[in-house]
Amino acid sequence: MKRKLSVLLAALLCTLSLVSCGAPPPPAGITESDDSGGKTSGSSSSGAVDKDALRVCVDLEYRAGYTEGKTPENAFYNLMNTVKSLGGPENVSFEYLPREGTERETALDRVRTEIMSGGGPDMFIIACNGGIDYMAADVEALFRVPEKAMEAGLFLPLDDYIQNAQFMEWNKLNETVMAAGRTEQGQMLLPMTYTFPLTMFRESDVTLTTTAETTWQDMLNDKTNVLTAAADWIPTMKEQENFENQCGGPLLPYILGDLADYSSEKLLFTEDELLQRITDVIELDVRNKNGEFENISPYYHWFACGGLTGSDFADPHVKVRDQGPITMVPLYSDDGGMTAAVTSYVAINRSTKHADEAFFLADLLLRKETQLSSALYSEWLVYNDSVGIPVYADAMQDTSPVTWHGMTDWHMSAENYENFSAARSQITRVRFQGGLEEALVNCYYACSDARYQDPNADLAPIIAEWYKTMEQWVQE
């Protein structure tokens, strides 16, 4: 998990150079020509893609941890069969953003130019970057800071369309999560999946009551060490092989809570606060390795996703139907409550000439049946570990099972769903995973590397440089 600071700074500063002052963060997409670095597939009544097609830019592959040979093309091929059967648009061109490398860079540059000139894809289906899966933190995201893109008016307000939706049941989508896609201009982005960090104990071993008033400091100072163990997501060396996805870096955005005020273009945490939180996480690792949590009953950490309670306590990579009653402990932030993160969303380009057709597809993407059983969700959005859960609020209980990990009707037990709902009710803020989260993750890795080399290393200069970078992000 070690990171090279020079490489990360170069990558981050490279993306900063592409942001125009006063304009929205540079969008990224993919072009219709294969030599520009992208893959295009489409369908029309004549079997050919033309300039009048609804252009749908899809960016999923760079964010997926593993896909077992599956492709987003197959998922959307299946979805288009449903679209056609329901009388939706047939002249559609799906443009798939490459996973990485020069092909991705070429595709980003081409569509940025299109959008900045008032064109580009009609709609975007996006998996977010940074913060959750550190493996994706070095790959440039489609929209680095979705909140800034919303504020800049890059996307079409959807309130009028939502009122006349055919498929989605707006009042049955998670209200707190959906509000993250709203600005004063209206609903600009439609979250599809979200997540938040939890620690699972067997209920027979641990029962405790926490509330949205619980804070990060409460977790650190817990005399029973139960909450403190739940705060420590860095595995011991013995655990490392089975817990490779657990690390302190992705937790920083959740611990800090609100990160920025994009209207005033200011960070909402100081360098000193960032230094203290990074120090907290590093010191938790020391306490763990010193055996301070050895007497705590078995537990595992996981980001909320399909199959959340279907992991074995001995090894979370061994999947089972359900573990029996589980106590779920959120990761609390500095000022109390829990932070959730949007992990995928759909948006419509404000410049589109196909708004009705684009919303038909967006509407279908948020239909209950699509969220619970489509290949798009099961293989790409809730299948990959720590990606997310559907915004359909009742998903993952016995009346609304999800397709996950080869199980066509996975759901929690009634008791576990009640426990999960109690934990979820403590969400007090929701963000889109983006550039600031990515920078925080990489800042942590740089500090962790420094302390690995020298236990007494001064972290302040590292944090100061990353903090300056993040300030630039919110000001441009």
Side-chain angles (χ1 to χ4, degrees):
M1 294 188 197
K2 299 296 181 283
R3 287 287 190 272
K4 299 297 183 181
L5 180 59
S6 60
V7 174
L8 295 173
L9 284 172
L12 190 57
L13 292 174
C14 175
T15 62
L16 285 172
S17 68
L18 296 172
V19 181
S20 301
C21 184
I30 184 165
T31 71
E32 294 183 353
S33 57
D34 291 338
D35 59 0
S36 67
K39 296 178 291 182
T40 301
S41 67
S43 61
S44 68
S45 58
S46 64
V49 176
D50 60 48
K51 293 183 179 179
D52 293 325
L54 173 68
R55 290 180 60 192
V56 182
C57 184
V58 178
D59 194 18
L60 301 179
E61 289 188 274
Y62 85 108
R63 182 60 187 80
Y66 57 89
T67 59
E68 297 183 354
K70 297 178 175 65
T71 66
E73 290 93 330
N74 289 339
F76 282 100
Y77 176 83
N78 294 332
L79 185 67
M80 280 307 298
N81 288 332
T82 302
V83 170
K84 293 176 182 178
S85 71
L86 294 172
E90 296 188 15
N91 191 3
V92 181
S93 173
F94 286 94
E95 307 173 5
Y96 299 95
L97 196 64
R99 185 183 182 104
E100 58 190 352
T102 57
E103 285 188 345
R104 184 176 180 86
E105 294 172 4
T106 301
L108 296 179
D109 291 343
R110 174 65 178 268
V111 175
R112 283 177 179 148
T113 302
E114 286 188 87
I115 294 182
M116 291 304 181
S117 62
D122 297 292
M123 67 183 298
F124 309 91
I125 300 172
I126 308 297
C128 297
N129 193 11
I132 295 176
D133 183 354
Y134 71 92
M135 294 300 293
D138 294 340
V139 182
E140 188 172 352
L142 186 62
F143 299 105
R144 279 289 190 176
V145 185
E147 291 90 342
K148 285 186 69 70
M150 286 196 295
E151 292 288 344
L154 183 62
F155 307 117
L156 182 71
L158 300 174
D159 296 72
D160 291 342
Y161 292 92
I162 291 170
Q163 289 181 5
N164 297 298
Q166 299 180 61
F167 309 117
M168 72 172 74
E169 299 171 90
W170 186 258
N171 64 341
K172 294 186 178 180
L173 305 182
N174 187 292
E175 181 180 1
T176 305
V177 176
M178 300 313 291
R182 174 170 289 277
T183 70
E184 293 181 355
Q185 302 176 60
Q187 190 75 33
M188 312 299 282
L189 299 178
L190 297 174
M192 294 191 294
T193 55
Y194 66 104
T195 195
F196 47 90
L198 291 169
T199 299
M200 266 65 70
F201 297 88
R202 291 189 181 95
E203 197 173 83
S204 57
D205 293 332
V206 173
T207 57
L208 70 154
T209 301
T210 55
T211 70
E213 303 300 317
T214 306
T215 68
W216 170 250
Q217 284 300 321
D218 292 335
M219 299 188 81
L220 296 184
N221 298 330
D222 178 30
K223 293 182 179 179
T224 69
N225 272 343
V226 171
L227 289 179
T228 311
D232 178 37
W233 278 50
I234 302 179
T236 62
M237 293 305 294
K238 180 179 179 180
E239 297 170 323
Q240 186 69 51
E241 290 184 5
N242 288 336
F243 288 73
E244 74 274 10
N245 70 313
Q246 299 176 28
C247 47
L251 300 184
L252 278 178
Y254 296 91
I255 297 168
L256 288 168
D258 292 319
L259 300 183
D261 182 336
Y262 292 103
S263 59
S264 64
E265 299 183 334
K266 292 182 179 180
L267 294 175
L268 296 178
F269 58 92
T270 66
E271 286 184 51
D272 287 342
E273 288 171 335
L274 179 55
L275 173 60
Q276 184 58 58
R277 295 303 156 256
I278 290 178
T279 302
D280 287 346
V281 175
I282 291 175
E283 289 180 350
L284 274 176
D285 186 32
V286 174
R287 292 172 65 180
N288 187 354
K289 291 176 178 177
N290 287 340
E292 193 167 329
F293 309 138
E294 283 184 354
N295 295 326
I296 301 298
S297 301
Y299 61 92
Y300 65 91
H301 310 290
W302 220 249
F303 284 96
C305 62
L308 178 65
T309 60
S311 297
D312 185 81
F313 275 91
D315 180 357
H317 290 266
V318 175
K319 307 303 178 185
V320 295
R321 172 60 68 174
D322 196 83
Q323 273 287 359
I326 292 176
T327 296
M328 304 182 192
V329 181
L331 182 76
Y332 293 98
S333 60
D334 272 340
D335 56 356
M338 178 171 58
T339 301
V342 174
T343 56
S344 65
Y345 62 92
V346 59
I348 297 177
N349 190 337
R350 184 183 284 269
S351 300
T352 181
K353 294 180 175 60
H354 302 282
D356 290 341
E357 296 95 323
F359 186 76
F360 186 101
L361 182 54
D363 189 8
L364 187 65
L365 288 171
L366 289 177
R367 187 175 70 157
K368 172 184 175 181
E369 292 79 7
T370 306
Q371 295 188 59
L372 299 183
S373 60
S374 71
L376 172 62
Y377 277 81
S378 64
E379 295 175 3
W380 291 93
L381 303 180
V382 303
Y383 174 76
N384 286 286
D385 287 332
S386 61
V387 170
I389 57 178
V391 293
Y392 183 73
D394 292 335
M396 302 194 303
Q397 60 178 317
D398 58 354
T399 56
S400 303
V402 298
T403 299
W404 172 83
H405 207 75
M407 299 179 184
T408 57
D409 62 345
W410 185 87
H411 60 83
M412 301 183 200
S413 66
E415 184 172 1
N416 279 339
Y417 187 80
E418 182 179 351
N419 294 341
F420 170 77
S421 297
R424 180 173 57 180
S425 70
Q426 298 179 54
I427 294 174
T428 53
R429 66 191 65 78
V430 183
R431 291 193 311 268
F432 289 82
Q433 292 288 9
L436 293 184
E437 288 82 2
E438 178 183 332
L440 286 168
V441 171
N442 289 332
C443 178
Y444 168 81
Y445 287 130
C447 291
S448 179
D449 280 349
R451 283 289 173 88
Y452 180 80
Q453 299 295 329
D454 177 5
N456 298 313
D458 183 7
L459 304 182
I462 298 173
I463 289 173
E465 190 159 5
W466 279 102
Y467 192 87
K468 182 178 179 181
T469 296
M470 288 184 281
E471 283 185 316
Q472 293 173 345
W473 275 71
V474 300
Q475 293 171 2
E476 292 180 325

